[in-house]
Amino acid sequence: GGLAFFKPHFEGRVPAMLVPSMAGICTGIVQAVLFLTPTETIKVRQQTQIGWSGNYNSMMGTASKLIKEEGFPSLYKGLLATTV
């Protein structure tokens, strides 16, 4: 997993007691950027649509519509708030 990937990057560079924490922080940031923020953006769009007009029917449909109409970066609206 992420911890195993990041641990070697910190070993010998920071005190040993901080290695797991630093690896965990990096893992969390990567997860937030790659998975959490786009998923949250899609969820919020679906939850805040007015009525049952069908603007957003499914996760894939919502993602597709966002990318088509607003561009790929629209999936990352709120990234700063997620990582802070």
Side-chain angles (χ1 to χ4, degrees):
L3 289 175
F5 176 80
F6 285 109
K7 271 187 174 183
H9 296 287
F10 293 106
E11 290 172 341
R13 295 183 182 167
V14 298
M17 62 185 263
L18 294 179
V19 170
S21 297
M22 299 299 288
I25 289 168
C26 290
T27 300
I29 290 171
V30 169
Q31 289 174 349
V33 170
L34 294 180
F35 305 110
L36 183 64
T37 301
T39 304
E40 286 290 316
T41 301
I42 291 167
K43 179 192 79 168
V44 168
R45 291 293 181 105
Q46 290 176 333
Q47 288 177 336
T48 58
Q49 69 181 342
I50 298 172
W52 297 97
S53 60
N55 290 330
Y56 304 117
N57 296 320
S58 66
M59 286 194 71
M60 292 305 293
T62 302
S64 177
K65 189 168 186 168
L66 284 173
I67 293 168
K68 183 178 179 182
E69 294 179 358
E70 299 178 31
F72 187 78
S74 68
L75 293 175
Y76 289 92
K77 290 181 178 178
L79 175 62
L80 183 61
T82 301
T83 56
V84 171

